[in-house]
Structure formats: C-alpha cells, structure tokens
Amino acid sequence: MRYISTRNADISVSGHRAVVEGIAPGGGLFAPVELPKIENLVHIDDMPYTMRLAHVINLWLDEFSPDELQAVCDDSYDRFDDPAIAPVKALNGGRYALELWHGPTLAFKDMALQLLPGLMRMCADKAGEKRDILILVATSGDTGKAALEGFADQPGVRICVFYPENGVSHAQKLQMITQTGANVDVIAVRGNFDDAQTGVKKIFTDERMIDVLNNHSIRLSSANSINLGRLLPQVAYYAAAYGEMVKSGYIPYGAAINVCVPTGNFGNILAAYYAMGMGVPINRLVCASNCNNVLSDFINTGVYDANREFHLTSSPSMDILISSNLERLLFEISGRDHGQVRRWMDELSRTGRYALNAAQKSALKERFFGGWASEEEVAREIRRVYEEDNYLVDPHTAVAMKVARDYREKTFDNTPMLIASTASPFKFAGSVLRAIMPDIECGDDFACCRALSEVTGTEVPPAIAELAYKPILHNGVCDPADMERALLENLDIRL
Ligand SMILES: *Cc1c(COP(=O)(O)O)cnc(C)c1O
C-alpha cells in the first residue's frame, strides 16, 4: 500500500515511511492511495482482540508479514485491565458503549499509543533507520501521559514531553512528573499549550537542531494523532467492535450500525469513517462536539470557521478549534483534489475559515451528522445515563451520549448505535460526581475519586490511586524560547 500527501500528488511513500515521518513534507497528511477492503469480516468475531487488530493493520501495512504484526500486537496490550481490551457494553434502546479506556492512562489514547512504540521501531527498521528515534510531544494533558506510558523503556526510542506549567490539571501533571523510565524526559514550559506546541514545531524544522541530533545518531519523530500509526489501531477497533457485537448476539452478521464519537482533533471519528470505507457496515457517523462546536457547525453549514470564542469545558480533550485530522476527510470529499485541500488549508491559516461548495457539502452530510452538547446538558446526561442505564460515563462520553440521543430524536433512525466511550469516569471524578450528586462537596481530585467510588460502589483505578504517593521525578521548567536548550541538556548533548 502506498500513501500520498493530501496536499501534493507527487509525494508518495510506503506505509512504514509514513509512520516514521509522521507528516508529509510541505505539511500534508498521508492518506492511502485507496482504502483496503476487509474481506472475511465474518471470521473476525472468532478472533481475540489482538488478532483482529493485527489482521486489520496488515491490510494497511502489507509490507509486513502477518506474524510480524501479530507479535507486536500481542506484546502491546498486556497492561489493559479487561481481557476484551475494548469491550462493548449494551445499554438500553439499542445503544452500545465501546469502552476504549481500559489501558494504563484510562483514556482512549492508550489504544494507539501502547502499540505505536513497537510499531514505530518495526517501521524504522524496515526503512533502514539505524538512528535512535526521539519522540517530541507538546501536550495539553492526556496525550503526553499516554505517550510516556507507551514509549517508556522501549529500546531504540527516547521521548520528551513538554507541557504548559499551569495549563494541565493537577492529576494530569502528577501523572506526567511521576513517570518512570530511563528514556523519558518531561519538561514544563512557562507558557500556555500554544507556546509549547509552537516550540516543538520549531525544533522539528530547525536545520541546525536536526544536524546536531543527527550527529548523535538521533532522528526526530512525532506521536501526534495525525501519525498514520496512531490512526490504524483506531480503525481496527471499529472492525473489532463490530465483530464483538455480532459475537455477543447484539446484531446479526451484516446488519448496519451507526457510530457516535466525542470529537476533538477528528482522529477517532476519522478512523470510523475509514472502517466504513473498508467494508464495516456503518451507515451514519455522528460527530459530537462540546460547546467548542466548530465541527458540528461545519457539518451543518459546510463552513469551517475557527474565528470564535474558545471555551474551557469539563471535556478538555475536546477543547479544540483546529481539528487537524479533518484534512483527511476533506481530501476524500473533494474527490481527492490535492490542490483544493491545499487552498482550504492555506485559507484556514490565513483567515481561520474555509467553505465547501454545495456538492461537497451534500457528500459530507450523506454520511455525517453533527451535534453538540452544552456544559449543562453534559451534566444532565451523565446523571440520566447513570439513572436509566445504571452506567457511569465521563464528560467526553456524555457529550456523545447526548448527541446520539438528539440524532435519534431528529431523524427517527433507530439503527443500533455504537457510542465511543473515551475516558474512565474516574479520570474526571469531580465533574462526574457533581453531575450525579449536585449538592456534594468533594475537595481535590483524590477525594473526589474516593467519594465517587463510595457512591457508585466501583473501585478507584490503581493508576489514579497510586498518584498520591508516587515520587516526583521530573521538575524541569523552561521558558518557551529555551526549549531547544532544555531538550539538549536533558539528552546530555553539549554544543
Ligand atoms: C483525545 C480525546 C478525545 C477526542 O478525540 P479526537 O480523536 O481528538 O477527536 C475525546 N475524548 C477523550 C477522553 C480524549 O482523550
């Protein structure tokens, strides 16, 4: 399988190169020349999770043997607390929750980031890359920790995470600064997330820096959600979930489902769109936003307009106004028109806005439904799902539950709805507890977790409980202008 840049028809690479490089030269994203098809979906329900995963990924990375991919998949999911890895739970009324948060950091990022290190190393070896790989991450919270957990102590890889000193939650900060591993660095930046992100981008494009690292046999790479290696495990869990629904008797083989995804950077829902294109019987994709509703507006109006107020919400991983992975969908609905995508992305960076024409808009609406939930609606939904379904959801998942409900009310389409459940409710215990018991005062994150545990009779996940007594290992802080120097210092490289 070859991969082409969404912005340039002349850039074409193999899958393993696309994983190692992360982003195409000139800024485009790598998209497959054509979507591979899943044949034998009928057999997938007999396979354990990691076998389904290897099977689907092999269709995209066909330069590897099934055994090679099976080995790396088998090695990557032993830290999940559910043997099904991504179990599907039946709720009332033909709704199903796809639980993607059973990994070590309790959010869906683990589904891809536990596999990415092994996959990245394999791809680098195949590409003849002998240098060590240095993963650079700027994080607003969840991605940093998930990447650290994935890459810690992986041979041939180092990872350095920059986070805004005062821009992440207390629990998120503790998760990162207590991270163990001989190959990990965590550095606070005196600034906001954009400062950290800009600093990381600068390092990626600084020729002198690349030279210095190269002289120490280090190659830079990224674990961002635009990396093909992040996308493939996500495509796979939609195919796997379909198999799981058949196997559990929720749907007959071949029956169509709809999928609803709480969306930020558009990675997770894009994976569902690709799964649909591969032949998984998915009819409609319901894109759920919080009050940063730039995506649902886009789906409803055909105009993407990021010129609006930015809101901090109870679902912070969806607080985003520029959804990077949307570019891959734009590529498809423009009829794979590289020039058109380039013009849209230029417009976006110049004016913060671009618009589809009527034909493109109807192509989008044929498959996608967009909706959003306010903060009040999210709290009400957490409570409603807890009371009616006896099921606890985090605020991100609640956004999807609410929009899935609205979708059915508006369309009368009662096709079985698979809803992506993207974080453990314990990761956002304060918001969840206040939603189900509005009068409670629970104090700090740990106290809220204990209270939520008592109220619901569910155990606090060890990954959160242990944060209270883990030693702090990383206390480096730097100014945004000093990130390069801080990085070199941490790598013990002297100029
Ligand atoms: C990252 C994240 C999302 C958003 O996923 P995208 O792929 O960025 O759309 C939703 N929920 C949680 C809990 C997340 O961590």
Side-chain angles (χ1 to χ4, degrees), residues 107-109 142-143 225 234 261-269 317-318 394 396 422-423 428:
F108 97 92
K109 308 287 192 291
D142 282 344
T143 300
S225 75
Q234 299 180 8
V261 184
T263 298
N265 219 2
F266 211 77
N268 200 358
I269 196 166
S317 302
M318 297 157 68
D394 92 290
H396 302 77
T422 51
F428 301 92

Side-chain angles (χ1 to χ4, degrees), residues 19-20 64 71-73 75-77 79-80 104 109-125 133-135 137 143-159 183-184 221-223 227 229-230 233:
V19 172
V20 175
F64 294 105
V72 68
C73 291
D75 280 350
S76 299
Y77 291 86
R79 297 179 62 204
F80 280 62
K109 308 287 192 291
D110 289 329
M111 297 299 303
L113 280 165
Q114 283 292 298
L115 178 67
L116 187 63
L119 192 63
M120 174 89 69
R121 192 65 251 171
M122 254 172 88
C123 290
D125 289 348
I133 296 194
L134 171 62
I135 303 286
V137 180
T143 300
K145 178 60 180 178
L148 285 165
E149 282 291 340
F151 284 96
D153 289 326
Q154 292 284 335
V157 193
R158 292 193 62 114
I159 174 163
N183 63 340
V184 310
S221 191
S222 115
N227 190 310
R230 286 274 303 269

Side-chain angles (χ1 to χ4, degrees), residues 285-333:
L285 297 158
V286 178
C287 175
S289 308
N290 65 22
C291 57
N292 293 296
N293 53 2
V294 60
L295 280 168
S296 57
D297 281 356
F298 172 62
I299 292 167
N300 289 312
T301 64
V303 177
Y304 194 98
D305 192 349
N307 302 301
R308 59 179 73 207
E309 203 185 324
F310 176 80
H311 302 279
L312 290 172
T313 71
S314 57
S315 45
S317 302
M318 297 157 68
D319 291 344
I320 196 162
L321 293 179
I322 306 280
S323 294
S324 324
N325 267 302
L326 185 63
E327 181 167 342
R328 287 187 166 106
L329 177 66
L330 293 171
F331 183 54
E332 301 301 332
I333 59 174

Side-chain angles (χ1 to χ4, degrees), residues 252-283:
Y253 176 71
I257 61 169
N258 291 333
V259 172
C260 179
V261 184
T263 298
N265 219 2
F266 211 77
N268 200 358
I269 196 166
L270 178 80
Y273 173 79
Y274 277 163
M276 177 178 81
M278 292 181 78
V280 179
I282 297 170
N283 263 357

Side-chain angles (χ1 to χ4, degrees), residues 336-350:
R336 309 199 131 221
D337 183 340
H338 305 266
Q340 173 73 81
V341 173
R342 204 165 50 236
R343 285 191 298 279
W344 278 328
M345 292 300 111
D346 284 347
E347 262 184 76
L348 180 65
S349 63
R350 270 187 298 110

Side-chain angles (χ1 to χ4, degrees), residues 88-391:
V88 178
K89 302 275 166 75
L91 309 178
N92 296 326
R95 292 142 66 238
Y96 302 88
L98 170 57
E99 292 183 351
L100 300 170
W101 41 262
H102 288 278
T105 76
L106 312 177
F108 97 92
K109 308 287 192 291
D110 289 329
M111 297 299 303
L113 280 165
Q114 283 292 298
L115 178 67
L116 187 63
L119 192 63
M120 174 89 69
R121 192 65 251 171
M122 254 172 88
C123 290
D125 289 348
K126 181 75 101 191
E129 180 60 71
K130 297 281 187 295
R131 292 169 287 182
D132 276 359
I133 296 194
L134 171 62
I135 303 286
L136 282 192
V137 180
T139 184
S140 58
D142 282 344
T143 300
K145 178 60 180 178
L148 285 165
E149 282 291 340
F151 284 96
D153 289 326
Q154 292 284 335
V157 193
R158 292 193 62 114
I159 174 163
C160 182
V161 171
F162 291 97
Y163 70 93
E165 187 179 19
N166 298 314
V168 300
S169 79
H170 181 59
Q172 284 174 324
K173 182 169 178 168
L174 278 179
Q175 278 191 317
M176 289 190 278
I177 62 181
T178 58
Q179 178 68 46
T180 57
N183 63 340
V184 310
D185 292 299
V186 179
I187 303 171
V189 178
R190 288 188 198 94
N192 59 24
F193 170 66
D194 284 329
D195 296 324
Q197 170 104 314
T198 306
V200 163
K201 279 193 184 148
K202 212 172 116 224
I203 296 175
F204 269 107
T205 50
D206 182 341
E207 304 266 340
R208 193 189 65 121
M209 189 73 175
I210 291 169
D211 253 10
V212 168
L213 293 173
N214 190 26
N215 291 339
H216 288 78
S217 196
I218 295 172
R219 180 205 213 286
L220 282 177
S221 191
S222 115
N224 272 339
S225 75
I226 51 171
N227 190 310
L228 179 68
R230 286 274 303 269
L231 215 43
L232 299 186
Q234 299 180 8
V235 176
Y237 59 62
Y238 286 106
Y242 188 84
E244 196 62 34
M245 290 174 80
V246 172
K247 188 177 172 181
S248 305
Y250 299 153
I251 51 167
Y253 176 71
I257 61 169
N258 291 333
V259 172
C260 179
V261 184
T263 298
N265 219 2
F266 211 77
N268 200 358
I269 196 166
L270 178 80
Y273 173 79
Y274 277 163
M276 177 178 81
M278 292 181 78
V280 179
I282 297 170
N283 263 357
R284 301 293 305 277
L285 297 158
V286 178
C287 175
S289 308
N290 65 22
C291 57
N292 293 296
N293 53 2
V294 60
L295 280 168
S296 57
D297 281 356
F298 172 62
I299 292 167
N300 289 312
T301 64
V303 177
Y304 194 98
D305 192 349
N307 302 301
R308 59 179 73 207
E309 203 185 324
F310 176 80
H311 302 279
L312 290 172
T313 71
S314 57
S315 45
S317 302
M318 297 157 68
D319 291 344
I320 196 162
L321 293 179
I322 306 280
S323 294
S324 324
N325 267 302
L326 185 63
E327 181 167 342
R328 287 187 166 106
L329 177 66
L330 293 171
F331 183 54
E332 301 301 332
I333 59 174
S334 67
R336 309 199 131 221
D337 183 340
H338 305 266
Q340 173 73 81
V341 173
R342 204 165 50 236
R343 285 191 298 279
W344 278 328
M345 292 300 111
D346 284 347
E347 262 184 76
L348 180 65
S349 63
R350 270 187 298 110
T351 68
R353 185 183 184 279
Y354 57 86
L356 305 184
N357 67 28
Q360 292 156 345
K361 187 180 154 189
S362 66
L364 178 66
K365 289 193 89 154
E366 194 189 336
R367 288 298 187 179
F368 284 85
F369 174 94
W372 65 283
S374 68
E375 287 296 276
E376 216 186 331
E377 288 170 325
V378 169
R380 227 181 298 142
E381 186 68 18
I382 292 174
R383 182 167 181 165
R384 181 167 176 182
V385 172
Y386 182 60
E387 287 173 354
E388 292 180 8
D389 297 279
N390 191 23
Y391 187 70

